[in-house]
Amino acid sequence: QLQASGGGLVQAGGSLRLSCAASERTFGLYNMGWFRQAPGKEREFVAAVSGWSDTGTNYAESVQGRFTISRDNAKNTVYLQMNSLKPEDTAVYYCANRYSSSTSTSQSDYGDWGQGTLVTVSS
C-alpha cells in the first residue's frame, strides 16, 4: 500500500516536496516512480528511482534539472523534491512501485499505485 502526501498550492517558482510512504517490508527491493495527470490529459511519467542496491534515477525531460527523486529505505519512503515549479506542473501526482531493480517510464510496468496528491502551481 502506498500513501502519497505533500501536495498543495504554490506560486510559480516555488518548491514542494512530495512523499510516498510504503507499507512493504521489502520496500528497498522496489523501483519507485512518480507519475502525474494534469486536467484533461493522460497520466505521464515524471521520475523514477531504482531499487535494490542501485540508486539510479530517471526523469522526464520536462522536469529534468528541477525535480529530484530520492528514497529512504529505512523509512520506506520515496520523495519528489520539486523546485522552480511552473503552472504546467499542475497535476495530481501519483507514486507507484515496481518489483525490479531497474527504472521504467511505462505505467504498465508498475504494480501498486498511491491515491494521488494534488499540486497546483499558480502563475
Side-chain angles (χ1 to χ4, degrees):
Q1 186 174 1
L2 302 175
Q3 184 74 31
S5 61
L9 174 64
V10 63
Q11 290 188 331
S15 298
L16 279 176
R17 188 177 80 157
L18 305 183
S19 299
C20 176
S23 60
E24 295 86 1
R25 293 183 177 180
T26 56
F27 172 77
L29 301 180
Y30 285 82
N31 166 206
M32 299 298 298
W34 285 98
F35 293 78
R36 67 185 181 186
Q37 186 167 21
K41 295 186 177 181
E42 294 187 352
R43 191 159 57 185
E44 64 178 5
F45 170 79
V46 175
V49 59
S50 59
W52 301 83
S53 60
D54 185 359
T55 55
T57 57
N58 192 3
Y59 295 94
E61 186 175 341
S62 60
V63 306
Q64 183 78 43
R66 299 188 298 122
F67 291 11
T68 302
I69 188 171
S70 62
R71 65 190 299 157
D72 185 337
N73 291 339
K75 296 182 178 180
N76 282 11
T77 302
V78 62
Y79 304 97
L80 185 68
Q81 178 66 44
M82 306 185 295
N83 299 328
S84 302
L85 283 161
K86 305 175 181 180
E88 51 263 44
D89 294 319
T90 294
V92 176
Y93 284 72
Y94 299 89
C95 59
N97 67 12
R98 173 172 181 251
Y99 191 72
S100 171
S101 61
S102 61
T103 62
S104 173
T105 64
S106 175
Q107 297 180 53
S108 62
D109 286 338
Y110 289 80
D112 297 322
W113 291 78
Q115 85 289 359
T117 184
L118 177 62
V119 173
T120 304
V121 184
S122 63
S123 57

